[in-house]
Short mmCIF file of all heavy atoms in Angstrom, two decimals:
data_model
loop_
_atom_site.label_atom_id
_atom_site.label_comp_id
_atom_site.label_asym_id
_atom_site.label_seq_id
_atom_site.Cartn_x
_atom_site.Cartn_y
_atom_site.Cartn_z
N ALA T 27 49.73 -48.39 -36.07
CA ALA T 27 50.18 -48.19 -37.54
C ALA T 27 49.20 -48.91 -38.36
O ALA T 27 48.93 -48.47 -39.49
CB ALA T 27 51.59 -48.70 -37.62
N TYR T 38 51.77 -50.94 -45.09
CA TYR T 38 52.10 -50.97 -43.69
C TYR T 38 53.62 -50.81 -43.20
O TYR T 38 53.90 -50.01 -42.43
CB TYR T 38 51.57 -52.34 -43.17
CG TYR T 38 51.87 -52.55 -41.61
CD1 TYR T 38 51.12 -51.89 -40.78
CD2 TYR T 38 52.89 -53.41 -41.14
CE1 TYR T 38 51.42 -52.07 -39.35
CE2 TYR T 38 53.14 -53.57 -39.85
CZ TYR T 38 52.28 -52.88 -38.91
OH TYR T 38 52.53 -53.00 -37.55
N ARG T 49 58.89 -39.88 -35.18
CA ARG T 49 59.08 -39.97 -33.79
C ARG T 49 60.43 -39.56 -33.40
O ARG T 49 60.64 -38.71 -32.47
CB ARG T 49 58.89 -41.49 -33.37
CG ARG T 49 59.15 -41.58 -31.82
CD ARG T 49 59.07 -43.10 -31.48
NE ARG T 49 59.97 -43.77 -32.24
CZ ARG T 49 61.23 -44.20 -31.95
NH1 ARG T 49 61.76 -43.77 -30.77
NH2 ARG T 49 61.97 -44.88 -32.80
N SER T 56 55.40 -42.50 -29.33
CA SER T 56 54.93 -43.86 -29.54
C SER T 56 54.55 -44.46 -28.20
O SER T 56 55.33 -44.23 -27.21
CB SER T 56 55.97 -44.65 -30.48
OG SER T 56 57.02 -44.70 -29.64
N TYR T 64 50.52 -44.49 -31.75
CA TYR T 64 51.09 -43.20 -31.77
C TYR T 64 50.08 -42.13 -31.60
O TYR T 64 48.87 -42.30 -31.84
CB TYR T 64 51.51 -43.06 -33.38
CG TYR T 64 52.62 -44.05 -33.71
CD1 TYR T 64 52.18 -45.36 -34.25
CD2 TYR T 64 53.92 -43.85 -33.52
CE1 TYR T 64 53.15 -46.23 -34.61
CE2 TYR T 64 54.84 -44.84 -33.87
CZ TYR T 64 54.42 -46.02 -34.43
OH TYR T 64 55.33 -47.06 -34.72
P DT S 4 45.61 -60.46 -31.64
OP1 DT S 4 44.18 -60.07 -31.72
OP2 DT S 4 46.38 -61.18 -32.61
"O5'" DT S 4 46.36 -58.97 -31.29
"C5'" DT S 4 45.90 -58.27 -30.17
"C4'" DT S 4 46.96 -57.12 -29.96
"O4'" DT S 4 48.17 -57.77 -29.49
"C3'" DT S 4 47.24 -56.37 -31.24
"O3'" DT S 4 47.10 -54.88 -30.99
"C2'" DT S 4 48.73 -56.58 -31.52
"C1'" DT S 4 49.19 -56.98 -30.08
N1 DT S 4 50.47 -57.84 -30.05
C2 DT S 4 51.52 -57.38 -29.25
O2 DT S 4 51.48 -56.34 -28.65
N3 DT S 4 52.60 -58.37 -29.14
C4 DT S 4 52.75 -59.53 -29.82
O4 DT S 4 53.91 -60.15 -29.81
C5 DT S 4 51.69 -59.83 -30.74
C7 DT S 4 51.68 -61.08 -31.51
C6 DT S 4 50.53 -59.04 -30.76
P DT S 6 52.08 -49.95 -33.80
OP1 DT S 6 51.35 -48.62 -33.99
OP2 DT S 6 52.21 -50.77 -34.94
"O5'" DT S 6 53.43 -49.73 -33.07
"C5'" DT S 6 53.53 -49.02 -31.83
"C4'" DT S 6 54.94 -49.22 -31.21
"O4'" DT S 6 55.36 -50.69 -31.24
"C3'" DT S 6 56.13 -48.59 -31.99
"O3'" DT S 6 57.05 -48.06 -30.97
"C2'" DT S 6 56.68 -49.83 -32.82
"C1'" DT S 6 56.41 -50.84 -31.76
N1 DT S 6 56.51 -52.21 -32.51
C2 DT S 6 57.39 -53.15 -32.24
O2 DT S 6 58.34 -53.00 -31.49
N3 DT S 6 57.28 -54.35 -33.05
C4 DT S 6 56.39 -54.59 -33.87
O4 DT S 6 56.41 -55.80 -34.43
C5 DT S 6 55.26 -53.71 -34.14
C7 DT S 6 54.27 -53.88 -35.13
C6 DT S 6 55.45 -52.46 -33.54
P DC S 7 58.25 -47.22 -31.50
OP1 DC S 7 58.72 -46.31 -30.32
OP2 DC S 7 57.81 -46.50 -32.74
"O5'" DC S 7 59.40 -48.28 -31.83
"C5'" DC S 7 60.09 -48.77 -30.64
"C4'" DC S 7 61.27 -49.62 -31.26
"O4'" DC S 7 60.72 -50.82 -31.87
"C3'" DC S 7 62.21 -48.87 -32.18
"O3'" DC S 7 63.51 -49.04 -31.62
"C2'" DC S 7 62.06 -49.67 -33.55
"C1'" DC S 7 61.49 -50.98 -33.06
N1 DC S 7 60.61 -51.71 -34.05
C2 DC S 7 60.99 -53.03 -34.52
O2 DC S 7 61.99 -53.45 -33.99
N3 DC S 7 60.08 -53.66 -35.39
C4 DC S 7 59.01 -53.08 -35.68
N4 DC S 7 58.17 -53.74 -36.67
C5 DC S 7 58.65 -51.76 -35.34
C6 DC S 7 59.48 -51.12 -34.51
P DA S 8 64.80 -48.17 -32.13
OP1 DA S 8 65.64 -47.83 -31.08
OP2 DA S 8 64.04 -47.04 -32.90
"O5'" DA S 8 65.43 -49.12 -33.18
"C5'" DA S 8 65.82 -50.40 -32.69
"C4'" DA S 8 66.30 -51.25 -33.93
"O4'" DA S 8 65.14 -51.83 -34.61
"C3'" DA S 8 67.05 -50.37 -34.95
"O3'" DA S 8 68.33 -50.81 -34.94
"C2'" DA S 8 66.34 -50.73 -36.32
"C1'" DA S 8 65.60 -51.98 -35.93
N9 DA S 8 64.24 -52.25 -36.73
C8 DA S 8 63.27 -51.36 -36.89
N7 DA S 8 62.20 -51.86 -37.66
C5 DA S 8 62.74 -53.02 -37.88
C6 DA S 8 62.13 -54.20 -38.68
N6 DA S 8 60.90 -54.09 -39.14
N1 DA S 8 62.82 -55.31 -38.73
C2 DA S 8 63.99 -55.44 -38.19
N3 DA S 8 64.77 -54.49 -37.51
C4 DA S 8 63.94 -53.47 -37.38
P DT S 9 69.55 -50.07 -35.83
OP1 DT S 9 70.73 -50.04 -35.11
OP2 DT S 9 69.03 -48.77 -36.33
"O5'" DT S 9 69.65 -51.02 -36.98
"C5'" DT S 9 69.80 -52.48 -36.76
"C4'" DT S 9 69.67 -53.25 -37.97
"O4'" DT S 9 68.22 -53.46 -38.31
"C3'" DT S 9 70.27 -52.74 -39.18
"O3'" DT S 9 71.20 -53.67 -39.76
"C2'" DT S 9 69.13 -52.30 -40.13
"C1'" DT S 9 68.21 -53.37 -39.81
N1 DT S 9 66.82 -53.01 -40.13
C2 DT S 9 65.88 -53.93 -40.81
O2 DT S 9 66.34 -55.11 -41.03
N3 DT S 9 64.68 -53.45 -41.06
C4 DT S 9 64.16 -52.19 -40.80
O4 DT S 9 63.02 -51.93 -41.26
C5 DT S 9 65.05 -51.25 -40.18
C7 DT S 9 64.60 -50.00 -39.97
C6 DT S 9 66.29 -51.68 -39.85
#
Side-chain angles (χ1 to χ4, degrees):
Chain T
Y38 178 74
R49 178 184 53 94
S56 64
Y64 301 87

